[in-house]
Amino acid sequence: MTDEPLLRVSALSKFYGSRVGCENVTFDLWPGEVLAVVGESGSGKTTLLNCLSTRLLPSSGTASYRMRDGQWRELYRMSEAERRFLMRTDWGFVHQNPADGLRMTVSAGANVGERLMAVGDRHYGRIRATAVDWLSRVEIDEDRIDDEPRAFSGGMRQRLQIARNLVTSPRLVFMDEPTGGLDVSVQARLLDLLRGLVTDLGLAAIVVTHDLAVARLLSQRMMVMKDGRVVESGLTDRVLDDPRAPYTQLLVSSILQV
Amino acid sequence: MTDIATYNFAYLDEQTKRMIRRAILKGIAIPGYQVPFASREMPMPYGWGTGGVQVTASIIGPDDVLKVIDQGADDTTNAVSIRAFFKKVANVAVTTETAKATIIQTRHRIPEHPLNADQVLVFQVPIPEPLRFLEPRETETRKMHALEEYGLMHVKLYEDIARHGRIATTYAYPVKVEGRYVMDPSPTPKFDNPKMHRSPALQLFGAGREKRIYAVPPFTDVVSLDFEDHPFEVQTFDQPCALCGAGNVYLDEVILDDHGGHMFVCSDTDHCEKRRADGHHGHLAPETHLALEAKEPAE
């Protein structure tokens, strides 16, 4: 690991008119680190994620990203072309609803291969071999490669979306409730898979979730948000086992024990 | 000329022609770029060539000689009525001979006879956006053109190979123009794509319903997209034209009877007639039959 962070976020705020989306968020993300952002609905988690992934422009604040060549670039000063290029090479975005992140009308293989073709790969055999490899890494049978994602179950679609994002070996992946809408056994399998991939590939990830169990399993560090502000942040185990802010205590104590 | 006094020359008013010419000039300046224009209502339904007719009406002059083809043929409804339209509203000379025409309006073919620098080819285009069926949002496709994000076009070709084992797209085969814009060559068979490459004739594309004009200037690179291990190929035919015996031309299948009888003939009717007039005969040409009957002794 290097001694420099991958992403530096400083005093990031997003207002929708007079309403607060998120306010004054500051943190560093290190290579290979998984940061969980937790909080209840409407606490600004997704707004923050959309700002960081440049899908939304913030009202104020800065975010800098260390490119592969070691140069620091200010995200909101990059041209749209550069941002979109970053988005499909060095970054990934896993949507809560796989239909938002997949092309539902083309085959699974083409979904995985799209990013490769977008960065200029023009060899069908190679693209297909890579797609086969990635499908097997996310536990999708090779013989489903020519099926459309419409024919896939929810869990398979989510795994396909992950494969599609990871095929260009990004260094940073944004995930918005990656396990939302899946039943618990499928969730467990997906989390297991994600944890393995993140460790194997040394990915840095920012995971937005309202599920503390997801944060516990995947992340090393977490931030708790309420009303657009970060109320507590720290190592995941510390925050969950010894919550200090009153809101975090409430959140941790609301987990149903089975 | 008195009989056309009720029309402006070539039907459109001068301001409209001016507007369309500006769009054409912009299209020529940026090869392959789709220029929006204020498409007018024409006295024919959308899908019958309203875009092509507006382009032709804007560039035609009294000295021009017009040829109109529909799937290569000069004698089908669309071709005949557009030709009659311009004969009436512009009083121009019309022809069916490719070599004699100065403007050729075409629906989905490029003539077999090589074009020259004094000719203009006007295409009728139904859907100008090559990315349309992959990305339905116009705002997004425009952005993709602007940022040269054409990976998606190869996704379509990938799908073809995955499903059919080869690139099965046979018409409207996407091309890259002058190394920059990906363009839909209109639903011409991919057989005609190589003819667009560095063609001496100016090629103009008009889409009336979609309100877009684009152009390929003379001697511009037009390269069909493909994969390294699945290169672009044009259609090939096992047999020559049944009437004129021509090989290396695009053939149409014609059904002869209801017992499965069929023949393949040139889709370019002018080319076929020319060859037959020059004495070439295919195996189903009437001349061949007469010659055979003369040889066989009567029983």
Side-chain angles (χ1 to χ4, degrees), chain B residues 19 23 26 33-39 142 210-213:
Chain B
M19 174 270 296
K26 185 169 179 182
Y33 171 72
Q34 299 167 45
V35 186
F37 78 110
S39 177
R142 284 211 211 183
E210 304 288 322
K211 302 178 172 57
R212 294 288 183 277
I213 283 173

Side-chain angles (χ1 to χ4, degrees), chain A residues 132-190:
Chain A
V132 168
D133 177 45
W134 267 101
L135 289 182
S136 72
R137 286 168 85 163
V138 296
E139 298 166 16
I140 295 175
D141 285 339
E142 193 184 324
D143 61 5
R144 302 299 301 270
I145 188 168
D146 292 331
D147 291 351
E148 289 178 8
R150 278 191 293 215
F152 285 9
S153 67
M156 278 172 82
R157 288 182 189 184
Q158 196 57 288
R159 279 179 276 142
L160 180 63
Q161 195 192 179
I162 290 164
R164 170 182 160 89
N165 273 287
L166 297 187
V167 67
T168 48
S169 22
R171 295 190 301 159
L172 175 58
V173 179
F174 301 97
M175 298 188 212
D176 190 4
E177 307 271 10
T179 58
L182 301 177
D183 64 62
V184 279
S185 60
V186 175
Q187 262 189 37
R189 222 170 116 204
L190 186 75

Side-chain angles (χ1 to χ4, degrees), chain A:
Chain A
M1 257 192 209
T2 55
D3 49 1
E4 261 196 306
L6 191 64
L7 181 72
R8 273 196 180 125
V9 181
S10 162
L12 200 70
S13 301
K14 172 73 188 174
F15 299 99
Y16 299 105
S18 58
R19 272 196 201 93
V20 178
C22 63
E23 196 175 3
N24 209 14
V25 178
T26 301
F27 70 92
D28 286 350
L29 184 77
W30 298 76
E33 182 186 40
V34 180
L35 174 74
V37 182
V38 301
E40 61 193 15
S41 294
S43 61
K45 308 182 298 271
T46 301
T47 296
L48 175 65
L49 194 75
N50 284 338
C51 283
L52 293 174
S53 58
T54 70
R55 290 153 57 83
L56 265 182
L57 284 185
S59 312
S60 65
T62 58
S64 320
Y65 180 72
R66 188 159 54 81
M67 310 293 279
R68 285 189 192 219
D69 58 5
Q71 294 284 315
W72 282 93
R73 293 295 305 273
E74 178 118 26
L75 290 182
Y76 309 119
R77 295 213 174 146
M78 288 165 86
S79 69
E80 188 174 16
E82 289 174 301
R83 285 204 302 262
R84 285 171 69 113
F85 183 74
L86 198 63
M87 206 61 207
R88 60 174 193 263
T89 52
D90 217 15
W91 288 5
F93 197 105
V94 177
H95 294 262
Q96 173 172 9
N97 178 4
D100 294 341
L102 292 172
R103 285 197 193 277
M104 298 304 278
T105 52
V106 303
S107 68
N111 262 293
V112 178
E114 182 179 343
R115 272 177 168 234
L116 296 174
M117 293 181 248
V119 295
D121 200 330
R122 294 288 177 265
H123 193 281
Y124 174 82
R126 262 201 318 265
I127 293 167
R128 195 163 171 91
T130 315
V132 168
D133 177 45
W134 267 101
L135 289 182
S136 72
R137 286 168 85 163
V138 296
E139 298 166 16
I140 295 175
D141 285 339
E142 193 184 324
D143 61 5
R144 302 299 301 270
I145 188 168
D146 292 331
D147 291 351
E148 289 178 8
R150 278 191 293 215
F152 285 9
S153 67
M156 278 172 82
R157 288 182 189 184
Q158 196 57 288
R159 279 179 276 142
L160 180 63
Q161 195 192 179
I162 290 164
R164 170 182 160 89
N165 273 287
L166 297 187
V167 67
T168 48
S169 22
R171 295 190 301 159
L172 175 58
V173 179
F174 301 97
M175 298 188 212
D176 190 4
E177 307 271 10
T179 58
L182 301 177
D183 64 62
V184 279
S185 60
V186 175
Q187 262 189 37
R189 222 170 116 204
L190 186 75
L191 283 173
D192 214 34
L193 177 81
L194 266 179
R195 194 157 59 158
L197 286 172
V198 165
T199 330
D200 291 349
L201 303 169
L203 283 177
I206 297 178
V207 185
V208 159
T209 178
H210 61 266
D211 187 342
L212 294 180
V214 171
R216 171 85 91 177
L217 272 169
L218 278 182
S219 68
Q220 287 99 41
R221 224 153 45 92
M222 65 187 281
M223 293 198 308
V224 183
M225 290 186 74
K226 179 165 175 31
D227 300 333
R229 291 171 167 277
V230 177
V231 293
E232 186 166 1
S233 64
L235 294 177
T236 302
D237 290 342
R238 204 281 292 154
V239 174
L240 290 179
D241 294 339
D242 179 21
R244 288 176 193 171
Y247 175 71
T248 318
Q249 291 171 356
L250 178 78
L251 204 63
V252 171
S253 63
S254 348
I255 299 175
L256 285 176
Q257 302 293 334
V258 189

